[in-house]
C-alpha cells in the first residue's frame, strides 16, 4: 500500500503549486500506441534499433540537469520524441487499420500501484538522475489529471474518456521508454490500468 500511495501523495503536492499552462502539456494519446507496438505481435513493426534510439533519446532528455526545472517543457520535449518514433508509420494504411480495429485500445484509468511498481522496475536499470526526472514528470502528469477530474466539465462520457486517455497514455509511454528492451516486449496497457477500445472512446486518429 505504501508503494501504491507514494505517487498519489506526491501528486497532491504538485497539484497545489502547478500553474495552469497549455492544454496539451502531459498529454499524448499516441503513448498508448507505443506500448502496443512494442509487442512481438504488433501490427506496426518497429525495429530494435529504433526502439533503442528512442530509449536513449528519452534518457538523454531526462538526464539533462535542467529538465526537472521545467516539467511542462520536459513533457513537450518527451512528446516530441514519442511522435518522432511513430512518425514513419503515422500515415501508413497499417496504422489506419490499427486505429479502427479492436486491437486499438486506450487507457481509461491508471492503477496507482501498477504505475509505482513499473517505475521501481525501470529504476533497476536506469541512472538515478534519469529516474528522478521520470518520476517528477509522471507525478506532474498525474497531478494534472487529478485537477481535470475535479474541475473539468465534459459534454459526454466519450469526451471525458478521450480527454483523460491522452494523459494516461502519456504516463504509460514515458515509463515504457525506460524499461529494459526485453521487458518492453511483454508489457501491455492492462499492466498500467483499465482499458477501453479506441472506437468506444471516439478516437479517430
Amino acid at each position: 500500500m505504501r508503494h501504491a500511495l507514494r505517487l498519489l501523495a506526491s501528486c497532491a503536492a504538485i497539484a497545489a503549486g502547478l500553474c495552469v499552462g497549455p492544454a496539451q502539456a502531459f498529454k499524448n494519446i499516441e503513448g498508448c500506441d507505443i506500448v502496443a507496438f512494442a509487442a512481438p505481435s504488433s501490427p506496426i513493426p518497429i525495429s530494435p534499433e529504433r526502439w533503442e534510439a528512442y530509449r536513449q533519446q528519452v534518457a538523454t532528455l531526462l538526464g539533462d540537469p535542467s529538465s526537472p526545472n521545467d516539467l511542462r517543457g520536459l513533457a513537450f520535449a518527451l512528446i516530441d520524441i514519442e511522435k518522432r518514433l511513430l512518425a514513419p508509420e503515422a500515415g501508413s494504411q497499417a496504422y489506419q487499420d490499427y486505429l479502427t480495429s479492436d486491437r486499438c485500445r486506450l487507457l481509461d484509468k491508471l492503477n496507482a500501484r501498477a504505475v509505482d511498481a513499473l517505475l521501481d522496475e525501470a529504476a533497476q536499470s536506469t541512472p538515478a538522475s534519469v529516474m528522478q526526472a521520470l518520476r517528477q514528470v509522471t507525478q506532474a502528469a498525474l497531478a494534472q489529471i487529478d485537477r481535470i477530474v475535479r474541475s473539468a466539465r465534459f459534454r459526454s462520457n466519450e469526451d471525458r474518456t478521450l480527454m483523460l486517455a491522452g494523459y494516461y497514455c502519456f504516463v504509460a509511454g514515458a515509463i515504457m521508454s525506460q524499461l529494459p528492451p526485453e521487458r518492453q516486449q511483454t508489457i501491455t496497457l492492462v499492466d498500467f490500468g483499465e482499458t477501453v477500445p479506441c472506437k468506444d472512446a471516439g478516437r479517430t486518429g
Side-chain angles (χ1 to χ4, degrees), residues 53-64 78 81 126-127 129-130 177-178:
Y54 167 65
R55 188 170 188 263
Q56 291 300 324
Q57 288 167 9
V58 174
T60 299
L61 173 67
L62 295 174
D64 187 324
L78 191 52
I81 294 174
T126 303
S129 60
V130 174
S177 73
Q178 295 310 298

Side-chain angles (χ1 to χ4, degrees), residues 62-175:
L62 295 174
D64 187 324
S66 66
S67 289
N69 298 330
D70 178 13
L71 293 178
R72 291 184 182 275
L74 175 58
F76 281 123
L78 191 52
I79 290 170
D80 181 64
I81 294 174
E82 291 177 347
K83 288 185 176 296
R84 280 191 275 123
L85 172 67
L86 299 179
E89 282 76 31
S92 69
Q93 187 60 49
Y95 205 148
Q96 297 310 307
D97 291 344
Y98 167 76
L99 292 175
T100 58
S101 73
D102 292 336
R103 298 184 67 177
C104 182
R105 302 189 71 85
L106 300 173
L107 282 164
D108 187 43
K109 184 179 181 181
L110 285 177
N111 181 321
R113 180 178 297 174
V115 168
D116 228 7
L118 288 168
L119 282 168
D120 287 343
E121 185 175 343
Q124 296 176 21
S125 58
T126 303
S129 60
V130 174
M131 280 308 305
Q132 179 183 3
L134 179 58
R135 289 184 188 278
Q136 287 179 318
V137 77
T138 299
Q139 291 164 2
L142 295 176
Q144 181 131 317
I145 292 168
D146 179 67
R147 184 168 55 247
I148 290 171
V149 169
R150 287 187 287 105
S151 62
R153 298 294 180 266
F154 300 93
R155 292 174 298 178
S156 67
N157 286 335
E158 185 178 272
D159 285 348
R160 182 182 188 277
T161 298
L162 191 60
M163 166 68 78
L164 293 178
Y167 297 99
Y168 297 148
C169 292
F170 169 81
V171 170
I175 295 173

Side-chain angles (χ1 to χ4, degrees), residues 17-36:
L18 201 60
C19 60
V20 176
Q24 298 304 311
F26 311 108
K27 182 182 177 186
N28 183 25
I29 207 161
E30 293 170 352
C32 283
D33 299 340
I34 288 175
V35 176

